[in-house]
Amino acid sequence: MTRRDFDPATVTPDGRPPAKARLFDATIDGPYRGSINGETLATQITVLTYGNDEPGVGPVLHIHPYDEVFVVQTGRARFFVGDQTIDAEAGDTVMAPAAVPHRFINLGPGRLQTLDIHLSPRWIQTNLE
């Protein structure tokens, strides 16, 4: 499929060089095995990786001053976003709006692995539990 969403002649590079950072470290124990602040990559997006093998387990209820987008890579999850409950599985994406309390749990069976995208140059969070 050919796409032409904009005219390349209308944009210019902003001078930032390409950047690389390691997100996932298998030697780290626990569900959070890495994160990259957007500041590290000179961007406005922070990325985290989360995973666990225990049904019913997940992050505590928390809140951010910016939107968060979850990409379910493996397994099934139940998200609690404000007063909404959203079931998602591998391939699904869920968005928690800024200032709305949220959490999620592994529905099982097996591993839940997510890629969590924070629309902020830094990971800023307040736990509510």
Side-chain angles (χ1 to χ4, degrees), residues 61-73:
L61 186 68
H62 61 277
I63 194 167
H64 309 284
Y66 49 77
D67 294 345
E68 182 175 9
V69 176
F70 304 91
V71 180
V72 180
Q73 297 178 304

Side-chain angles (χ1 to χ4, degrees), residues 11-80:
V11 296
T12 57
D14 64 11
R16 290 178 298 153
K20 175 185 173 184
R22 186 164 184 82
L23 172 63
F24 183 80
D25 185 347
T27 65
I28 296 174
D29 289 330
Y32 290 100
R33 294 190 177 171
S35 65
I36 300 172
N37 277 339
E39 296 163 332
T40 302
L41 298 175
T43 187
Q44 297 297 308
I45 298 171
T46 294
V47 181
L48 285 74
T49 181
Y50 176 90
N52 80 56
D53 298 301
E54 300 177 56
V57 173
V60 300
L61 186 68
H62 61 277
I63 194 167
H64 309 284
Y66 49 77
D67 294 345
E68 182 175 9
V69 176
F70 304 91
V71 180
V72 180
Q73 297 178 304
T74 302
R76 298 179 326 120
R78 176 161 292 148
F79 289 84
F80 304 92

Side-chain angles (χ1 to χ4, degrees), residues 70-112:
F70 304 91
V71 180
V72 180
Q73 297 178 304
T74 302
R76 298 179 326 120
R78 176 161 292 148
F79 289 84
F80 304 92
V81 182
D83 61 359
Q84 300 291 311
T85 301
I86 303 167
D87 288 348
E89 61 185 29
D92 289 339
T93 302
V94 175
M95 192 275 293
V100 175
H102 56 277
R103 68 183 182 93
F104 60 90
I105 59 170
N106 181 349
L107 283 179
R111 184 162 187 82
L112 169 65

